[in-house]
Amino acid sequence: MPIKKMQDLDLTGKTVVIREDLNVPMKDGVITNDKRIRAALPTIRLALQKGAGVILLSHLGRPTEGQYDAQFSLAPVAESLAKQLGQPVALAKTLEEAKVQPGQVTLLENVRFLPGEKKNDPQLAEKLAGLGDVYVMDAFGAAHRAHASTEGAIRVAKVACAGPLLQAELEAFDKVLDNPARPLIAIIGGAKVSTKLNLLENLLNKVDVLIVGGGIANTFLAAAGYMVGKSLYEEDLVPEAKKVMELAKTLNKELPLPVDVITAEELAPGQRAMLHAVGDVPGDQMILDIGPETLNLYEKYLAKAATVVWNGPVGAFEIDPFGDGTKALAEYLGDSKAFVVVGGGDSVAAVEKYGLADRMGYISTGGGASLELLEGKKLPSVAALEDRA
């Protein structure tokens, strides 16, 4: 269903309220990665170019709802925005202070300081929507939350629309899920099958090949009868992994498992990494990365791919030397002719760590939202926008 787009509206002289995802990582009050701020800039600049005054909304971290907490203040974000926009960005500490003239930008303090945000309180939703003439949902990273600023305000705003960043995200996942060039391959990594079981089952109905990595792959190896030593895996979900493998056979879909792995006694820097065939993992070792033969196997499948969606690394890439598999996979995908969508915080962090982000087809800004789309769920923000359209 079509939704209204911000770029199609006349914003001259209007106050535009834009819900962005400016939930950036910080340490000691300093922003350590401003990717989400940079991703929001084109939307903000477009609203200003169209003659609007802009009020920005965002959450940051997980403060106790309704209580101010200085460590979760958006003050550093306002400073960063001002530098990158080249103009002042006021920080409004209350709803009453959130006012602008055309050409101005104000950032409202953390919406999770407001009572009722996470509960999607109707009165708060009306107050947020009432801050301006047009309400723009542009926060894909929060689009899976039915909160007052991400769903409730959309339903009661005078005019509600999607911003360019949200539109770009939805279009990228549409290319993957609804109208993919084939063969379509999904690479799903991460620690636990339990958090991605519905995702794996849904993807098997859509993809041609499903590659699993990380702790998820360990659970599948155990389900296939291999000993995994001290590896992170979910013993209680081995039967579920077996069902997924049977479903793959029933649907005639490929679900290749690792054939060799990198192990160590523990996940810590300076460990001695060892290469083993999957049938030879010692009882005192942990599987922490894929081996070169596994990489070759995956590349044979990926060589035929027209579309790839990647969510989650294939090893413990944060600690050397257990990132080689993830790095090699990222380099291969960077050179691929396939349309590659990278979603999920860890896989995005990996491609950025290795300087490969600009070689991917699309880098998603939302981990949880991208997972829910891949699971086949409708995002509450998108459902609200569609209803308003």
Side-chain angles (χ1 to χ4, degrees):
M1 187 183 295
I3 55 181
K4 281 187 180 177
K5 299 177 180 179
M6 188 188 91
Q7 55 265 45
D8 294 339
L9 302 179
D10 179 7
L11 303 180
T12 308
K14 294 181 178 176
T15 297
V16 176
V17 183
I18 307 177
R19 177 48 160 107
E20 291 288 0
D21 180 12
L22 305 174
N23 183 29
V24 293
M26 285 204 273
K27 185 175 182 181
D28 301 325
V30 177
I31 297 168
T32 57
N33 186 328
D34 70 347
K35 181 178 186 299
R36 286 179 170 169
I37 295 174
R38 286 183 281 112
L41 293 175
T43 301
I44 300 167
R45 288 183 176 127
L46 178 60
L48 293 170
Q49 288 165 11
K50 289 171 78 68
V54 175
I55 296 174
L56 299 171
L57 310 180
S58 181
H59 73 283
L60 179 70
R62 297 181 178 180
T64 301
E65 185 178 309
Q67 295 181 21
Y68 176 82
D69 186 335
Q71 68 175 315
F72 297 111
S73 172
L74 284 168
V77 175
E79 290 178 20
S80 177
L81 280 166
K83 275 185 191 173
Q84 298 192 59
L85 288 170
Q87 69 175 78
V89 175
L91 181 67
K93 294 185 178 179
T94 65
L95 287 166
E96 291 71 29
E97 290 178 23
K99 294 182 172 63
V100 287
Q101 295 296 320
Q104 295 179 342
V105 180
T106 290
L107 173 63
L108 179 67
E109 185 58 282
N110 195 332
V111 290
R112 289 187 179 173
F113 291 166
L114 301 171
E117 161 64 7
K118 290 170 73 175
K119 293 177 183 175
N120 201 359
D121 178 69
Q123 288 184 315
L124 176 59
E126 285 193 16
K127 288 178 181 177
L128 292 172
L131 291 173
D133 306 296
V134 177
Y135 198 89
V136 180
M137 179 58 187
D138 202 40
F140 178 73
H144 59 308
R145 307 290 189 198
H147 292 173
S149 67
T150 60
E151 197 261 0
I154 294 171
R155 295 191 177 278
V156 295
K158 298 173 194 171
V159 178
C161 63
L165 178 58
L166 179 63
Q167 294 164 42
E169 294 273 7
L170 296 176
E171 287 165 9
F173 282 96
D174 180 64
K175 285 184 184 179
V176 170
L177 295 171
D178 297 326
N179 191 29
R182 292 189 179 272
L184 167 61
I185 297 180
I187 305 167
I188 305 298
K192 295 183 178 181
V193 174
S194 54
T195 59
K196 294 184 177 178
L197 193 60
N198 292 338
L199 166 66
L200 297 174
E201 291 174 348
N202 184 59
L203 283 176
L204 274 177
N205 289 290
K206 296 178 179 291
V207 303
D208 301 293
V209 180
L210 176 60
I211 294 172
V212 291
I216 292 174
N218 297 341
T219 303
F220 276 83
L221 286 171
Y226 294 105
M227 302 301 291
V228 295
K230 297 192 303 181
S231 305
L232 171 68
Y233 84 108
E234 293 173 285
E235 188 176 1
D236 59 325
L237 285 178
V238 165
E240 297 297 333
K242 287 181 178 177
K243 287 180 186 177
V244 173
M245 292 161 74
E246 287 300 320
L247 178 61
K249 287 181 183 175
T250 301
L251 296 172
N252 198 28
K253 303 294 178 71
E254 297 278 0
L255 203 167
L257 295 179
V259 293
D260 65 344
V261 291
I262 304 297
T263 72
E265 287 189 5
E266 60 179 311
L267 178 56
Q271 289 290 302
R272 182 179 169 219
M274 301 178 70
L275 174 65
H276 297 281
V278 290
D280 300 327
V281 175
D284 65 346
Q285 296 278 304
M286 300 178 71
I287 298 172
L288 297 171
D289 198 5
I290 59 172
E293 290 302 315
T294 301
L295 183 65
N296 289 340
L297 173 66
Y298 293 170
E299 287 179 355
K300 285 177 184 175
Y301 285 106
L302 292 166
K304 302 173 185 175
T307 308
V308 178
V309 57
W310 183 18
N311 188 297
V314 293
F317 78 97
E318 303 92 341
I319 297 178
D320 292 331
F322 310 117
D324 290 353
T326 297
K327 181 181 181 182
L329 189 66
E331 288 174 341
Y332 188 88
L333 291 173
D335 291 334
S336 172
K337 293 179 182 176
F339 177 68
V340 179
V341 175
V342 183
D346 286 340
S347 40
V348 173
V351 297
E352 290 187 335
K353 176 181 177 178
Y354 302 126
L356 298 166
D358 61 350
R359 285 163 57 184
M360 302 298 163
Y362 190 80
I363 301 289
S364 176
T365 58
S370 64
L371 278 177
E372 294 209 1
L373 281 180
L374 293 174
E375 284 178 25
K377 296 179 180 177
K378 176 74 77 173
L379 303 180
S381 296
V382 176
L385 286 167
E386 288 179 346
D387 290 346
R388 288 304 308 272

